[in-house]
């Protein structure tokens, strides 16, 4: 399957570009901070990559590091940044650099933690130089505590000419939730910080992805809807679903069951964008909340059972629910007024 290009996120991209401009064009003293949060697979890394590609002028320095997902070790972010980079010109003690870069030969425990942290900040400053730089931090939620402390320090480092571009799952999903929450709030507290919480794609976004994959012809609304429901609009789920059915027509997405690993209930958008309900639909929803069958609802509202069925299926679509019970729950959560009388 061809890689899908990013849909939606135009507003987010523009805001990140503006943040970069304040530093790189207007010469505002840094650091400038941008924090992107969102659930697994919602598209944080893709947005970071797209932003880096769009930044003008190009960053003079790009330092990029990610958490090591297995066996986190101190200063993973900096070690990733230093990997493969010549450091002799930095003029820092080589044994400390070896420790920060996680060289296997580094002497152990030579420096107190506070000293190492100061040396780590100094290392980043030297690498950034006159800037303007972008410091990319991927997967903050999975970072080791030393890296998190370093980020906190960098966000507060006076006149650091850098944009700190951070992507993280919500702190609750972090390896160390309390520390991650503290660092995220410290980052977001920096003056002028940009924060973006990415949500799933809506039906229009899903339709755009389907159009890309199935070569141009607009997908049937029924297909868009079913795929949106099945994936909760999560781009990772969506790309996995499409990859699992690559080479087959779009109808395969409806016919076949979901691949095993995707069969977890997809996160649903809290309020689907098209949840505008008509007066009649609100009444029918009230009947669902009351636990009525279609026949009972038809009698209560003085309409035919067939009409109730149509309203119910519209309600399921508009509320992003997979069942009547879920629609009733949605009504309660969204405080839809109960049926009068
Ligand atoms: N807006 C989008 N349009 C099209 N495809 C997208 C979009 N966002 C993400 N994708 C695709 O979905 C997949 C997951 O995206 P990505 O890796 O950026 O998610 P993430 O939020 O960084 O996830 P994680 O929390 O696991 O790091 C990728 O294949 C990516 O190309
Ligand atoms: Mg990512």
């Amino acid at each position: 399957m061809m890689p899908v290009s990013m849909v939606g996120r135009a507003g987010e991209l523009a805001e990140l570009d503006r943040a970069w401009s304040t530093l790189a064009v207007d010469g505002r003293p840094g650091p400038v901070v941008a924090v992107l949060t969102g659930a697994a697979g919602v598209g944080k890394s893709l947005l970071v990559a797209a932003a880096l590609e769009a930044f003008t002028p190009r960053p003079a320095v790009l330092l990029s590091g990610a958490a090591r997902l297995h066996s986190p070790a101190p200063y993973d972010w900096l070690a990733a940044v230093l990997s493969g980079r010549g450091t002799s010109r930095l003029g820092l003690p080589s044994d400390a650099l070896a420790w920060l870069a996680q060289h296997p030969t580094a002497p152990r425990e030579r420096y107190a933690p506070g000293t190492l942290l100061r040396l780590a900040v100094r290392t980043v400053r030297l690498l950034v130089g006159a800037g303007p730089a972008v410091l990319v931090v991927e997967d903050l939620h999975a970072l080791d505590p030393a890296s998190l402390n370093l980020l906190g320090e960098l966000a507060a480092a006076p006149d650091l000419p850098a944009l700190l571009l951070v992507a993280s799952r919500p702190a609750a999903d972090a390896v160390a939730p309390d520390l991650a929450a503290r660092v995220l709030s410290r980052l977001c507290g920096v003056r002028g910080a940009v924060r973006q919480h990415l949500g799933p794609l809506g039906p229009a976004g899903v339709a755009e992805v389907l159009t890309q994959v199935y070569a141009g012809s607009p997908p049937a609304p029924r297909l868009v809807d079913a795929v949106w429901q099945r994936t909760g609009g999560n781009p990772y789920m969506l790309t996995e679903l499409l990859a699992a059915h690559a080479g087959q027509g779009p109808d395969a997405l409806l016919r076949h069951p979901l691949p095993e690993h995707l069969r977890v209930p997809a996160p649903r958008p809290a309020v689907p964008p098209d949840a505008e309900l008509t007066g009649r639909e609100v009444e029918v929803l009230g009947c669902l909340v009351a636990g009525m069958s279609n026949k009972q609802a038809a009698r209560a509202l003085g309409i035919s059972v067939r009409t109730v069925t149509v309203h119910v299926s519209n309600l399921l679509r508009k509320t992003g629910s997979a069942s009547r019970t879920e629609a009733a729950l949605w009504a309660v959560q969204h405080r839809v007024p109960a049926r009068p009388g």
Side-chain angles (χ1 to χ4, degrees):
M1 193 180 86
M2 291 277 289
V4 172
S5 65
M6 186 167 75
V7 310
R9 316 294 191 215
E12 287 88 349
L13 207 51
E15 194 183 16
L16 293 175
D17 203 38
R18 270 198 304 279
W20 173 244
S21 290
T22 58
L23 184 89
V25 180
D26 310 341
R28 195 184 115 180
V32 174
V33 174
V35 177
L36 318 181
T37 53
V42 81
K44 303 176 292 295
S45 297
L46 189 63
L47 179 58
V48 166
L52 287 174
E53 210 152 285
F55 283 166
T56 28
R58 315 293 310 149
V61 178
L62 174 63
L63 306 182
S64 181
R68 276 208 304 207
L69 293 182
H70 305 290
S71 63
Y75 292 109
D76 273 340
W77 179 77
L78 187 55
V81 164
L82 290 174
S83 138
R85 211 177 268 269
T87 49
S88 47
R89 68 186 170 86
L90 296 179
L92 290 169
S94 60
D95 53 350
L97 270 176
W99 172 262
L100 292 170
Q102 298 177 351
H103 289 164
T105 55
R108 303 212 130 244
E109 314 296 341
R110 185 63 213 274
Y111 292 88
T115 312
L116 273 174
L117 182 58
R118 275 193 301 280
L119 280 169
V121 172
R122 180 138 186 75
T123 305
V124 174
R125 252 197 207 284
L126 289 168
L127 291 172
V128 164
V134 180
L135 313 186
V136 175
V137 180
E138 280 277 9
D139 304 322
L140 173 140
H141 61 275
L143 273 178
D144 61 282
S147 296
L148 291 174
N149 284 334
L150 173 58
L151 291 181
E153 291 297 311
L154 291 174
D159 295 333
L160 182 71
L163 167 68
L164 224 63
L165 184 52
V166 176
S168 179
R169 292 186 192 167
D173 300 344
V175 174
D178 292 345
L179 182 57
R182 266 206 309 282
V183 173
L184 282 172
S185 80
R186 191 167 167 195
L187 291 173
C188 292
V190 172
R191 236 191 70 202
V194 168
R195 335 158 170 212
Q196 293 174 351
H197 185 74
L198 301 185
L201 301 177
V206 170
E208 220 177 299
V209 171
L210 291 174
T211 308
Q212 284 185 40
V213 172
Y214 297 108
S217 51
R222 190 176 68 99
L223 177 73
V224 172
D225 205 56
V227 172
W228 180 57
Q229 303 271 353
R230 286 185 126 186
T231 59
N234 180 287
Y236 171 76
M237 298 272 209
L238 183 57
T239 46
E240 288 291 295
L241 180 69
L242 291 167
H245 296 98
Q248 305 163 39
D251 279 349
L253 298 174
L254 298 175
R255 270 200 317 271
H256 297 299
L258 282 182
E260 193 67 50
H261 65 291
L262 293 180
R263 246 175 257 163
V264 281
R268 286 227 164 68
V271 184
D274 59 352
E276 288 279 341
L277 304 183
T278 64
R280 191 55 116 187
E281 286 165 353
V282 170
E283 289 180 314
V284 172
L285 191 53
C287 294
L288 297 190
V289 173
M292 292 184 197
S293 67
N294 285 358
K295 210 163 153 186
Q296 290 167 324
R299 204 170 314 129
L301 300 175
I303 54 181
S304 75
V305 178
R306 212 184 112 73
T307 309
V308 172
T309 316
V310 172
H311 286 311
V312 169
S313 91
N314 287 339
L315 277 169
L316 294 184
R317 179 173 52 77
K318 288 187 177 180
T319 60
S321 306
S323 67
R324 306 161 65 89
T325 315
E326 231 180 271
L329 268 175
W330 184 95
V332 174
Q333 280 160 358
H334 291 86
R335 304 204 168 76
V336 174
R339 202 170 69 85

